[in-house]
PDB file of all heavy atoms in Angstrom:
ATOM      1  N   GLU A   1     -17.570   6.684 -21.404  1.00 96.00           N
ATOM      2  CA  GLU A   1     -17.259   7.576 -20.286  1.00 96.00           C
ATOM      3  C   GLU A   1     -16.681   6.831 -19.080  1.00 96.00           C
ATOM      4  O   GLU A   1     -15.800   7.360 -18.396  1.00 96.00           O
ATOM      5  CB  GLU A   1     -18.524   8.335 -19.846  1.00 96.00           C
ATOM      6  CG  GLU A   1     -19.106   9.278 -20.879  1.00 96.00           C
ATOM      7  CD  GLU A   1     -18.294  10.555 -21.020  1.00 96.00           C
ATOM      8  OE1 GLU A   1     -17.554  10.889 -20.085  1.00 96.00           O
ATOM      9  OE2 GLU A   1     -18.421  11.219 -22.067  1.00 96.00           O
ATOM     10  N   VAL A   2     -17.214   5.643 -18.816  1.00 98.00           N
ATOM     11  CA  VAL A   2     -16.898   4.936 -17.570  1.00 98.00           C
ATOM     12  C   VAL A   2     -16.474   3.498 -17.879  1.00 98.00           C
ATOM     13  O   VAL A   2     -17.175   2.784 -18.587  1.00 98.00           O
ATOM     14  CB  VAL A   2     -18.131   4.924 -16.634  1.00 98.00           C
ATOM     15  CG1 VAL A   2     -17.791   4.235 -15.317  1.00 98.00           C
ATOM     16  CG2 VAL A   2     -18.643   6.335 -16.394  1.00 98.00           C
ATOM     17  N   MET A   3     -15.317   3.086 -17.317  1.00 98.00           N
ATOM     18  CA  MET A   3     -14.851   1.720 -17.530  1.00 98.00           C
ATOM     19  C   MET A   3     -15.083   0.817 -16.320  1.00 98.00           C
ATOM     20  O   MET A   3     -15.000  -0.410 -16.427  1.00 98.00           O
ATOM     21  CB  MET A   3     -13.361   1.710 -17.894  1.00 98.00           C
ATOM     22  CG  MET A   3     -12.430   2.269 -16.843  1.00 98.00           C
ATOM     23  SD  MET A   3     -10.699   2.342 -17.404  1.00 98.00           S
ATOM     24  CE  MET A   3     -10.343   0.616 -17.662  1.00 98.00           C
ATOM     25  N   ASP A   4     -15.375   1.408 -15.165  1.00 98.00           N
ATOM     26  CA  ASP A   4     -15.606   0.615 -13.966  1.00 98.00           C
ATOM     27  C   ASP A   4     -16.281   1.487 -12.917  1.00 98.00           C
ATOM     28  O   ASP A   4     -16.176   2.716 -12.958  1.00 98.00           O
ATOM     29  CB  ASP A   4     -14.268   0.081 -13.421  1.00 98.00           C
ATOM     30  CG  ASP A   4     -14.444  -1.032 -12.396  1.00 98.00           C
ATOM     31  OD1 ASP A   4     -15.592  -1.487 -12.199  1.00 98.00           O
ATOM     32  OD2 ASP A   4     -13.440  -1.442 -11.784  1.00 98.00           O
ATOM     33  N   ALA A   5     -16.955   0.848 -11.980  1.00 98.00           N
ATOM     34  CA  ALA A   5     -17.567   1.555 -10.850  1.00 98.00           C
ATOM     35  C   ALA A   5     -17.555   0.617  -9.659  1.00 98.00           C
ATOM     36  O   ALA A   5     -17.896  -0.563  -9.784  1.00 98.00           O
ATOM     37  CB  ALA A   5     -18.992   1.995 -11.184  1.00 98.00           C
ATOM     38  N   ARG A   6     -17.143   1.160  -8.498  1.00 97.00           N
ATOM     39  CA  ARG A   6     -17.034   0.334  -7.290  1.00 97.00           C
ATOM     40  C   ARG A   6     -17.337   1.183  -6.058  1.00 97.00           C
ATOM     41  O   ARG A   6     -17.286   2.407  -6.101  1.00 97.00           O
ATOM     42  CB  ARG A   6     -15.624  -0.251  -7.138  1.00 97.00           C
ATOM     43  CG  ARG A   6     -15.125  -1.100  -8.288  1.00 97.00           C
ATOM     44  CD  ARG A   6     -13.713  -1.583  -8.001  1.00 97.00           C
ATOM     45  NE  ARG A   6     -13.065  -2.132  -9.182  1.00 97.00           N
ATOM     46  CZ  ARG A   6     -11.778  -2.496  -9.230  1.00 97.00           C
ATOM     47  NH1 ARG A   6     -11.028  -2.353  -8.148  1.00 97.00           N
ATOM     48  NH2 ARG A   6     -11.266  -2.980 -10.346  1.00 97.00           N
ATOM     49  N   TRP A   7     -17.621   0.470  -4.950  1.00 98.00           N
ATOM     50  CA  TRP A   7     -17.813   1.125  -3.653  1.00 98.00           C
ATOM     51  C   TRP A   7     -16.491   1.129  -2.904  1.00 98.00           C
ATOM     52  O   TRP A   7     -15.805   0.110  -2.810  1.00 98.00           O
ATOM     53  CB  TRP A   7     -18.876   0.399  -2.845  1.00 98.00           C
ATOM     54  CG  TRP A   7     -20.261   0.535  -3.412  1.00 98.00           C
ATOM     55  CD1 TRP A   7     -20.892  -0.343  -4.247  1.00 98.00           C
ATOM     56  CD2 TRP A   7     -21.159   1.617  -3.194  1.00 98.00           C
ATOM     57  NE1 TRP A   7     -22.139   0.127  -4.561  1.00 98.00           N
ATOM     58  CE2 TRP A   7     -22.339   1.327  -3.933  1.00 98.00           C
ATOM     59  CE3 TRP A   7     -21.102   2.791  -2.463  1.00 98.00           C
ATOM     60  CZ2 TRP A   7     -23.436   2.175  -3.953  1.00 98.00           C
ATOM     61  CZ3 TRP A   7     -22.203   3.643  -2.473  1.00 98.00           C
ATOM     62  CH2 TRP A   7     -23.350   3.335  -3.202  1.00 98.00           C
ATOM     63  N   PHE A   8     -16.123   2.282  -2.354  1.00 98.00           N
ATOM     64  CA  PHE A   8     -14.876   2.451  -1.613  1.00 98.00           C
ATOM     65  C   PHE A   8     -15.185   3.012  -0.223  1.00 98.00           C
ATOM     66  O   PHE A   8     -16.065   3.855  -0.065  1.00 98.00           O
ATOM     67  CB  PHE A   8     -13.944   3.439  -2.327  1.00 98.00           C
ATOM     68  CG  PHE A   8     -13.363   2.935  -3.619  1.00 98.00           C
ATOM     69  CD1 PHE A   8     -14.100   2.987  -4.793  1.00 98.00           C
ATOM     70  CD2 PHE A   8     -12.072   2.425  -3.668  1.00 98.00           C
ATOM     71  CE1 PHE A   8     -13.571   2.538  -5.984  1.00 98.00           C
ATOM     72  CE2 PHE A   8     -11.527   1.974  -4.851  1.00 98.00           C
ATOM     73  CZ  PHE A   8     -12.269   2.028  -6.018  1.00 98.00           C
ATOM     74  N   THR A   9     -14.411   2.566   0.769  1.00 98.00           N
ATOM     75  CA  THR A   9     -14.502   3.203   2.078  1.00 98.00           C
ATOM     76  C   THR A   9     -13.865   4.591   1.969  1.00 98.00           C
ATOM     77  O   THR A   9     -13.068   4.850   1.054  1.00 98.00           O
ATOM     78  CB  THR A   9     -13.753   2.389   3.140  1.00 98.00           C
ATOM     79  OG1 THR A   9     -12.346   2.413   2.846  1.00 98.00           O
ATOM     80  CG2 THR A   9     -14.263   0.952   3.190  1.00 98.00           C
ATOM     81  N   PRO A  10     -14.192   5.509   2.894  1.00 97.00           N
ATOM     82  CA  PRO A  10     -13.541   6.823   2.861  1.00 97.00           C
ATOM     83  C   PRO A  10     -12.019   6.733   2.896  1.00 97.00           C
ATOM     84  O   PRO A  10     -11.334   7.508   2.209  1.00 97.00           O
ATOM     85  CB  PRO A  10     -14.097   7.510   4.113  1.00 97.00           C
ATOM     86  CG  PRO A  10     -15.454   6.900   4.286  1.00 97.00           C
ATOM     87  CD  PRO A  10     -15.267   5.466   3.901  1.00 97.00           C
ATOM     88  N   GLU A  11     -11.471   5.799   3.664  1.00 97.00           N
ATOM     89  CA  GLU A  11     -10.013   5.668   3.723  1.00 97.00           C
ATOM     90  C   GLU A  11      -9.456   5.176   2.387  1.00 97.00           C
ATOM     91  O   GLU A  11      -8.378   5.615   1.954  1.00 97.00           O
ATOM     92  CB  GLU A  11      -9.607   4.710   4.845  1.00 97.00           C
ATOM     93  CG  GLU A  11      -8.106   4.639   5.070  1.00 97.00           C
ATOM     94  CD  GLU A  11      -7.462   5.998   5.263  1.00 97.00           C
ATOM     95  OE1 GLU A  11      -8.045   6.863   5.946  1.00 97.00           O
ATOM     96  OE2 GLU A  11      -6.369   6.213   4.706  1.00 97.00           O
ATOM     97  N   GLU A  12     -10.159   4.275   1.727  1.00 98.00           N
ATOM     98  CA  GLU A  12      -9.723   3.824   0.399  1.00 98.00           C
ATOM     99  C   GLU A  12      -9.775   4.976  -0.599  1.00 98.00           C
ATOM    100  O   GLU A  12      -8.905   5.098  -1.471  1.00 98.00           O
ATOM    101  CB  GLU A  12     -10.597   2.661  -0.068  1.00 98.00           C
ATOM    102  CG  GLU A  12     -10.354   1.370   0.697  1.00 98.00           C
ATOM    103  CD  GLU A  12     -11.374   0.293   0.379  1.00 98.00           C
ATOM    104  OE1 GLU A  12     -12.509   0.637  -0.060  1.00 98.00           O
ATOM    105  OE2 GLU A  12     -11.057  -0.892   0.570  1.00 98.00           O
ATOM    106  N   ALA A  13     -10.798   5.823  -0.476  1.00 98.00           N
ATOM    107  CA  ALA A  13     -10.889   7.000  -1.351  1.00 98.00           C
ATOM    108  C   ALA A  13      -9.722   7.945  -1.094  1.00 98.00           C
ATOM    109  O   ALA A  13      -9.149   8.514  -2.029  1.00 98.00           O
ATOM    110  CB  ALA A  13     -12.220   7.714  -1.132  1.00 98.00           C
ATOM    111  N   ARG A  14      -9.359   8.117   0.175  1.00 97.00           N
ATOM    112  CA  ARG A  14      -8.200   8.951   0.506  1.00 97.00           C
ATOM    113  C   ARG A  14      -6.929   8.401  -0.125  1.00 97.00           C
ATOM    114  O   ARG A  14      -6.084   9.141  -0.612  1.00 97.00           O
ATOM    115  CB  ARG A  14      -8.026   9.042   2.023  1.00 97.00           C
ATOM    116  CG  ARG A  14      -8.992   9.976   2.719  1.00 97.00           C
ATOM    117  CD  ARG A  14      -8.565  10.215   4.163  1.00 97.00           C
ATOM    118  NE  ARG A  14      -9.461  11.153   4.822  1.00 97.00           N
ATOM    119  CZ  ARG A  14     -10.518  10.790   5.527  1.00 97.00           C
ATOM    120  NH1 ARG A  14     -10.820   9.495   5.660  1.00 97.00           N
ATOM    121  NH2 ARG A  14     -11.297  11.702   6.091  1.00 97.00           N
ATOM    122  N   GLU A  15      -6.787   7.088  -0.081  1.00 98.00           N
ATOM    123  CA  GLU A  15      -5.601   6.461  -0.653  1.00 98.00           C
ATOM    124  C   GLU A  15      -5.530   6.705  -2.164  1.00 98.00           C
ATOM    125  O   GLU A  15      -4.439   6.913  -2.723  1.00 98.00           O
ATOM    126  CB  GLU A  15      -5.605   4.958  -0.362  1.00 98.00           C
ATOM    127  CG  GLU A  15      -4.353   4.211  -0.804  1.00 98.00           C
ATOM    128  CD  GLU A  15      -3.095   4.676  -0.100  1.00 98.00           C
ATOM    129  OE1 GLU A  15      -3.192   5.300   0.981  1.00 98.00           O
ATOM    130  OE2 GLU A  15      -2.003   4.430  -0.641  1.00 98.00           O
ATOM    131  N   LEU A  16      -6.667   6.698  -2.829  1.00 98.00           N
ATOM    132  CA  LEU A  16      -6.688   7.001  -4.262  1.00 98.00           C
ATOM    133  C   LEU A  16      -6.179   8.416  -4.518  1.00 98.00           C
ATOM    134  O   LEU A  16      -5.423   8.647  -5.475  1.00 98.00           O
ATOM    135  CB  LEU A  16      -8.112   6.849  -4.816  1.00 98.00           C
ATOM    136  CG  LEU A  16      -8.697   5.433  -4.884  1.00 98.00           C
ATOM    137  CD1 LEU A  16     -10.136   5.483  -5.378  1.00 98.00           C
ATOM    138  CD2 LEU A  16      -7.856   4.534  -5.786  1.00 98.00           C
ATOM    139  N   THR A  17      -6.583   9.355  -3.685  1.00 97.00           N
ATOM    140  CA  THR A  17      -6.125  10.737  -3.868  1.00 97.00           C
ATOM    141  C   THR A  17      -4.641  10.861  -3.563  1.00 97.00           C
ATOM    142  O   THR A  17      -3.913  11.601  -4.229  1.00 97.00           O
ATOM    143  CB  THR A  17      -6.931  11.710  -2.993  1.00 97.00           C
ATOM    144  OG1 THR A  17      -6.721  11.411  -1.615  1.00 97.00           O
ATOM    145  CG2 THR A  17      -8.415  11.617  -3.310  1.00 97.00           C
ATOM    146  N   ARG A  18      -4.172  10.140  -2.532  1.00 96.00           N
ATOM    147  CA  ARG A  18      -2.754  10.229  -2.143  1.00 96.00           C
ATOM    148  C   ARG A  18      -1.837   9.655  -3.208  1.00 96.00           C
ATOM    149  O   ARG A  18      -0.712  10.126  -3.406  1.00 96.00           O
ATOM    150  CB  ARG A  18      -2.516   9.504  -0.813  1.00 96.00           C
ATOM    151  CG  ARG A  18      -2.975  10.274   0.412  1.00 96.00           C
ATOM    152  CD  ARG A  18      -2.380   9.677   1.666  1.00 96.00           C
ATOM    153  NE  ARG A  18      -2.947   8.368   1.964  1.00 96.00           N
ATOM    154  CZ  ARG A  18      -3.935   8.168   2.832  1.00 96.00           C
ATOM    155  NH1 ARG A  18      -4.468   9.187   3.483  1.00 96.00           N
ATOM    156  NH2 ARG A  18      -4.378   6.952   3.057  1.00 96.00           N
ATOM    157  N   THR A  19      -2.288   8.616  -3.904  1.00 97.00           N
ATOM    158  CA  THR A  19      -1.443   7.943  -4.895  1.00 97.00           C
ATOM    159  C   THR A  19      -1.610   8.503  -6.300  1.00 97.00           C
ATOM    160  O   THR A  19      -1.007   7.991  -7.245  1.00 97.00           O
ATOM    161  CB  THR A  19      -1.752   6.438  -4.910  1.00 97.00           C
ATOM    162  OG1 THR A  19      -3.150   6.244  -5.219  1.00 97.00           O
ATOM    163  CG2 THR A  19      -1.439   5.809  -3.564  1.00 97.00           C
ATOM    164  N   GLY A  20      -2.443   9.538  -6.458  1.00 97.00           N
ATOM    165  CA  GLY A  20      -2.648  10.133  -7.769  1.00 97.00           C
ATOM    166  C   GLY A  20      -3.565   9.342  -8.673  1.00 97.00           C
ATOM    167  O   GLY A  20      -3.594   9.566  -9.888  1.00 97.00           O
ATOM    168  N   ALA A  21      -4.331   8.403  -8.082  1.00 98.00           N
ATOM    169  CA  ALA A  21      -5.248   7.587  -8.877  1.00 98.00           C
ATOM    170  C   ALA A  21      -6.639   8.196  -8.972  1.00 98.00           C
ATOM    171  O   ALA A  21      -7.532   7.604  -9.586  1.00 98.00           O
ATOM    172  CB  ALA A  21      -5.344   6.174  -8.286  1.00 98.00           C
ATOM    173  N   PHE A  22      -6.820   9.366  -8.355  1.00 98.00           N
ATOM    174  CA  PHE A  22      -8.117  10.041  -8.351  1.00 98.00           C
ATOM    175  C   PHE A  22      -7.981  11.374  -9.080  1.00 98.00           C
ATOM    176  O   PHE A  22      -6.945  12.042  -8.992  1.00 98.00           O
ATOM    177  CB  PHE A  22      -8.579  10.289  -6.909  1.00 98.00           C
ATOM    178  CG  PHE A  22     -10.040  10.592  -6.777  1.00 98.00           C
ATOM    179  CD1 PHE A  22     -10.968   9.581  -6.595  1.00 98.00           C
ATOM    180  CD2 PHE A  22     -10.498  11.902  -6.838  1.00 98.00           C
ATOM    181  CE1 PHE A  22     -12.327   9.866  -6.471  1.00 98.00           C
ATOM    182  CE2 PHE A  22     -11.846  12.194  -6.716  1.00 98.00           C
ATOM    183  CZ  PHE A  22     -12.759  11.177  -6.533  1.00 98.00           C
ATOM    184  N   VAL A  23      -9.014  11.740  -9.813  1.00 97.00           N
ATOM    185  CA  VAL A  23      -9.028  13.036 -10.502  1.00 97.00           C
ATOM    186  C   VAL A  23      -8.759  14.143  -9.478  1.00 97.00           C
ATOM    187  O   VAL A  23      -9.408  14.163  -8.427  1.00 97.00           O
ATOM    188  CB  VAL A  23     -10.375  13.266 -11.206  1.00 97.00           C
ATOM    189  CG1 VAL A  23     -10.487  14.696 -11.714  1.00 97.00           C
ATOM    190  CG2 VAL A  23     -10.548  12.286 -12.367  1.00 97.00           C
ATOM    191  N   PRO A  24      -7.815  15.036  -9.755  1.00 95.00           N
ATOM    192  CA  PRO A  24      -7.502  16.084  -8.768  1.00 95.00           C
ATOM    193  C   PRO A  24      -8.676  17.049  -8.558  1.00 95.00           C
ATOM    194  O   PRO A  24      -9.044  17.806  -9.442  1.00 95.00           O
ATOM    195  CB  PRO A  24      -6.293  16.797  -9.373  1.00 95.00           C
ATOM    196  CG  PRO A  24      -6.339  16.474 -10.841  1.00 95.00           C
ATOM    197  CD  PRO A  24      -6.950  15.122 -10.947  1.00 95.00           C
ATOM    198  N   LEU A  25      -9.243  16.989  -7.363  1.00 95.00           N
ATOM    199  CA  LEU A  25     -10.327  17.883  -6.948  1.00 95.00           C
ATOM    200  C   LEU A  25      -9.964  18.412  -5.560  1.00 95.00           C
ATOM    201  O   LEU A  25      -9.784  17.624  -4.621  1.00 95.00           O
ATOM    202  CB  LEU A  25     -11.672  17.152  -6.894  1.00 95.00           C
ATOM    203  CG  LEU A  25     -12.321  16.775  -8.230  1.00 95.00           C
ATOM    204  CD1 LEU A  25     -13.545  15.894  -7.989  1.00 95.00           C
ATOM    205  CD2 LEU A  25     -12.709  18.016  -9.018  1.00 95.00           C
ATOM    206  N   GLY A  26      -9.880  19.710  -5.433  1.00 95.00           N
ATOM    207  CA  GLY A  26      -9.380  20.303  -4.205  1.00 95.00           C
ATOM    208  C   GLY A  26     -10.259  20.140  -2.991  1.00 95.00           C
ATOM    209  O   GLY A  26      -9.816  20.391  -1.867  1.00 95.00           O
TER     210      GLY A  26
END
């Protein structure tokens, strides 16, 4: 199920969503 797990700052999490690297969740 999981290949990696890490701690991200909120801004880093935003960047994941902006670049399409995060599962699309509205």
Side-chain angles (χ1 to χ4, degrees):
E1 296 285 339
V2 182
M3 62 185 297
D4 195 7
R6 302 179 193 173
W7 291 95
F8 290 81
T9 66
E11 186 52 40
E12 289 171 336
R14 283 192 178 93
E15 185 63 20
L16 291 177
T17 63
R18 283 195 290 262
T19 59
F22 197 90
V23 170
L25 288 172

